[in-house]
Amino acid sequence: MRATTEAEPRIRDGMRAALPLAPSPLLFGLSYGVMADATGVGAAAAVVMSATTYAGSAQLASASVLGAGGTVAAAVLAAIFLNARYVAISVTVASVFPGGRLRRLVESQSIVDESWALAGRRGRFEWPILVGSGLVFYVVWVGSTAAGTVLGGVLEDPNALGLDAAFAALFLALAVPYLRERRPRGAAALAGIVTFALIPVAPAGVPIIAAAAACLVGVRR
């Protein structure tokens, strides 16, 4: 009997794999667009940020800081801390990217949490799945951001959508998978204590920066 071999995946396989997860970036892209419009970021700036940054949690955090009256520097630092995890994620998949430096640089922009998870489903990271799914998530994210800015522009009160609660739920959902061991739970607890201690006395944006830094120190220890 002839042994059957599993076909190598193609980019379109990655695109198909991304479709069941597409509603999540669609929802949060809409939320980010609405919030960006409400905080005065502007439609063009919000869409450009989604197209160049392509990092939902970091963009939501920066918009939240600006919406609370924080400085641009505080918003940028908050985004940097939240995106620090991509250093480790990128290292794990660096070997699967073919070609020269420029090609690898461009294609590596497809790395997000969802595409990374899909690419490693079969026990090894697969470049076609990573790039294909990343393309889908990219189009959905940028398109939903644009749609969200339009939606925010016609709403009398964007806060009536309860986006403040939605953002908190998003960040909690991102944290849950990392709280299965004692050390990450301790780091998260330290970050929470720092946040609640600074909110009444620190300028907007400072608590999230300090909490992120404290969390990293806690993980190191």
Side-chain angles (χ1 to χ4, degrees):
M1 180 180 297
R2 181 181 297 177
T4 58
T5 58
E6 191 172 7
E8 287 297 318
R10 292 170 290 185
I11 287 180
R12 64 184 183 185
D13 296 322
M15 297 176 75
R16 282 197 294 263
L19 293 179
L21 300 179
S24 176
L26 173 64
L27 173 62
F28 287 112
L30 287 169
S31 299
Y32 169 68
V34 171
M35 184 177 188
D37 181 82
T39 56
V41 172
V47 174
V48 169
M49 187 176 186
S50 284
T52 56
T53 305
Y54 186 30
S57 59
Q59 290 179 235
L60 289 166
S62 61
S64 298
V65 170
L66 293 174
T71 64
V72 172
V76 171
L77 283 175
I80 289 173
F81 276 120
L82 281 171
N83 273 354
R85 70 187 186 280
Y86 283 114
V87 175
I89 288 176
S90 297
V91 168
T92 64
V93 296
S95 61
V96 306
F97 285 93
R101 292 183 178 180
L102 180 59
R103 176 180 173 180
R104 291 162 63 89
L105 175 64
V106 173
E107 292 180 350
S108 67
Q109 304 312 305
S110 62
I111 302 173
V112 291
D113 296 320
E114 295 88 347
S115 64
W116 178 81
L118 288 172
R121 291 181 304 174
R122 299 201 292 185
R124 57 186 177 88
F125 289 107
E126 297 170 313
W127 170 83
I129 303 298
L130 181 63
V131 173
S133 59
L135 284 172
V136 171
F137 294 133
Y138 180 83
V139 171
V140 170
W141 178 252
V142 177
S144 60
T145 296
T149 61
V150 174
L151 179 62
V154 300
L155 290 175
E156 293 184 1
D157 182 15
N159 292 327
L161 295 176
L163 296 181
D164 50 348
F167 299 144
L170 168 64
F171 295 134
L172 285 174
L174 290 172
V176 166
Y178 299 93
L179 301 179
R180 294 170 181 161
E181 299 179 2
R182 185 178 65 179
R183 183 176 295 179
R185 287 197 296 269
L190 176 60
I193 292 171
V194 170
T195 300
F196 286 110
L198 290 180
I199 284 176
V201 297
V206 172
I208 191 172
I209 295 172
C215 187
L216 292 175
V217 170
V219 171
R220 178 64 178 172
R221 289 180 178 176

